C-alpha cells in the first residue's frame, strides 16, 4: 500500500530538511513542491517576464517543463536550475507566481501524478488542504519567524548564497503574508493536521517527532 505524508508550513520552517531525512529512513519518495514554484519563477525572471504580471506569467505555462530528479536536482526545460532557484532574486518573486491559479493547477496536476505510484512525503503550503486532501498523515510544521530566518540564513551561508539576516527575515515574513492571503489554495493548516512547533527542537528531534506522528497515524488507521 502506498502511504502519503503531507508536510505544510510557513517559509524556512525546516520542512524540506526534515522531509528528506524522513523519506530516506522510511524509504518514501520526497517531493519538494516549492522547488517547482521556484523553477517557474526562475523561468519568468530569466525570460524577461514580470512576475507581478499574472497574465504574462500564466501565458507561458505550456512552455515551462519542470522535472524533479533524484538528489534534489531540479530541471527547467532541461536546464539544471538546482542552485539558482535558491537565490534571493527567486525567493523575492516566487510568492507572486505561486498566487496564480492557472500556474498552480498545472503544477498540482504534476504533483498528484507523482504521488500516485509510490509512497511519498511531500512538502509545501497546500499539500494537506488541496494537493493530497486524503493524505494518510498531515503535519503543519512551524517555528517563530526569527528562528526560521536564522535557519535559512545559516543554510544560505553553507550554500554560498550571499544575503543578510535582515533580508532573509523580511523575505520570510513577506512570503508568509502573500502565501497565506492568496485566494486559491492559501497556506493554512488542514483541519486534520498535527501541529508541530520546531522552534526549540534540533533537526534530529524534529525527524523523530515526524516519524512518531507517522507511526501513530498509520496505527490509528489500521
Ligand atoms: O523552502 P522555503 O520554505 O523557503 O520555500 P519553498 O518550499 O521552496 O517554497 C517557495 C514558495 O513557493 C513559497 O513561499 C510559496 O509561495 C510557494 N509554494 C506554494 O505556494 N505552494 C507549495 N505547495 C509550495 C511552495
Amino acid at each position: 500500500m502506498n502511504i502519503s505524508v503531507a508536510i505544510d508550513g510557513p517559509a524556512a520552517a525546516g520542512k524540506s530538511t526534515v522531509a528528506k531525512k524522513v523519506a530516506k529512513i522510511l524509504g518514501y519518495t520526497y517531493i519538494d513542491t516549492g522547488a517547482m514554484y521556484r523553477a517557474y519563477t526562475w523561468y519568468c525572471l530569466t525570460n524577461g517576464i514580470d512576475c507581478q504580471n499574472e497574465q504574462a506569467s500564466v501565458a507561458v505555462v505550456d512552455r515551462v517543463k519542470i522535472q524533479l530528479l533524484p538528489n534534489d536536482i531540479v530541471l527547467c526545460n532541461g536546464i539544471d536550475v538546482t542552485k539558482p532557484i535558491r537565490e534571493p532574486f527567486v525567493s523575492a518573486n516566487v510568492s507572486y507566481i505561486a498566487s496564480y491559479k492557472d500556474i498552480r493547477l498545472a503544477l498540482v496536476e504534476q504533483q498528484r501524478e507523482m504521488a500516485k505510484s509510490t509512497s511519498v512525503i511531500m512538502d509545501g503550503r497546500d499539500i494537506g488542504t488541496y494537493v493530497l486532501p486524503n493524505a494518510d498523515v498531515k503535519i503543519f510544521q512551524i517555528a517563530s519567524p526569527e528562528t526560521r530566518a536564522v535557519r535559512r540564513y545559516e543554510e544560505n551561508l553553507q550554500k554560498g548564497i550571499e544575503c543578510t539576516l535582515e533580508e532573509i527575515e523580511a523575505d520570510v515574513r513577506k512570503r508568509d503574508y502573500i502565501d497565506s492571503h492568496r485566494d486559491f489554495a492559501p497556506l493554512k493548516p488542514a483541519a486534520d493536521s498535527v501541529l508541530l512547533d520546531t522552534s526549540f527542537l534540533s533537526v534530529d528531534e524534529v525527524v523523530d517527532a515526524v516519524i512518531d506522528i507517522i507511526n501513530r497515524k498509520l496505527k490509528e488507521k489500521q
Side-chain angles (χ1 to χ4, degrees):
M1 191 183 71
N2 288 330
I3 307 293
S4 51
V5 178
I7 304 191
D8 291 301
K15 302 181 296 290
S16 62
T17 307
V18 168
K20 250 181 256 173
K21 286 184 180 260
V22 172
K24 204 167 181 190
I25 293 168
L26 300 181
Y28 296 178
T29 300
Y30 166 59
I31 300 172
D32 179 358
T33 63
M36 301 174 75
Y37 293 96
R38 287 176 176 275
Y40 198 110
T41 306
W42 175 89
Y43 178 89
C44 291
L45 291 168
T46 51
N47 284 278
I49 297 164
D50 175 4
C51 294
Q52 294 193 49
N53 181 330
E54 177 166 2
Q55 216 186 345
S57 301
V58 168
V60 294
V61 73
D62 293 330
R63 266 185 258 160
V64 187
K65 296 277 169 271
I66 297 163
Q67 288 166 275
L68 302 183
L69 304 184
N71 298 321
D72 307 333
I73 305 290
V74 184
L75 300 186
C76 181
N77 293 347
I79 300 169
D80 186 342
V81 294
T82 312
K83 269 187 91 160
I85 61 169
R86 305 291 161 193
E87 293 283 347
F89 78 106
V90 171
S91 298
N93 286 284
V94 65
S95 288
Y96 301 118
I97 292 297
S99 70
Y100 305 143
K101 183 175 176 181
D102 290 336
I103 294 175
R104 297 198 73 82
L105 290 177
L107 298 187
V108 166
E109 193 182 315
Q110 232 183 304
Q111 291 158 13
R112 287 183 178 151
E113 200 54 48
M114 288 188 266
K116 262 187 189 160
S117 51
T118 168
S119 289
V120 292
I121 179 158
M122 193 182 277
D123 84 341
R125 303 294 185 282
D126 60 338
I127 311 306
T129 54
Y130 184 73
V131 181
L132 303 175
N134 298 320
D136 299 289
V137 184
K138 298 181 185 181
I139 296 171
F140 198 78
Q141 186 170 326
I142 59 166
S144 70
E146 296 79 12
T147 304
R148 292 187 279 120
V150 170
R151 284 180 185 165
R152 179 53 48 87
Y153 177 68
E154 286 172 353
E155 198 181 328
N156 281 0
L157 282 189
Q158 268 186 1
K159 287 184 181 161
I161 298 172
E162 265 184 58
C163 60
T164 67
L165 182 57
E166 291 70 30
E167 277 164 14
I168 297 293
E169 188 168 342
D171 173 71
V172 159
R173 287 182 189 273
K174 180 180 152 197
R175 282 200 283 134
D176 288 352
Y177 184 86
I178 301 175
D179 293 345
S180 51
H181 286 82
R182 68 182 177 228
D183 292 333
F184 187 70
L187 162 68
K188 67 170 180 208
D192 50 351
S193 63
V194 177
L195 184 72
L196 180 58
D197 187 344
T198 68
S199 299
F200 302 103
L201 299 179
S202 69
V203 171
D204 286 343
E205 286 170 330
V206 183
V207 169
D208 288 345
V210 167
I211 291 177
D212 281 349
I213 295 168
I214 295 173
N215 287 335
R216 177 159 54 84
K217 287 283 169 188
L218 294 182
K219 217 170 184 180
E220 278 170 21
K221 284 192 143 223
Q222 277 170 2

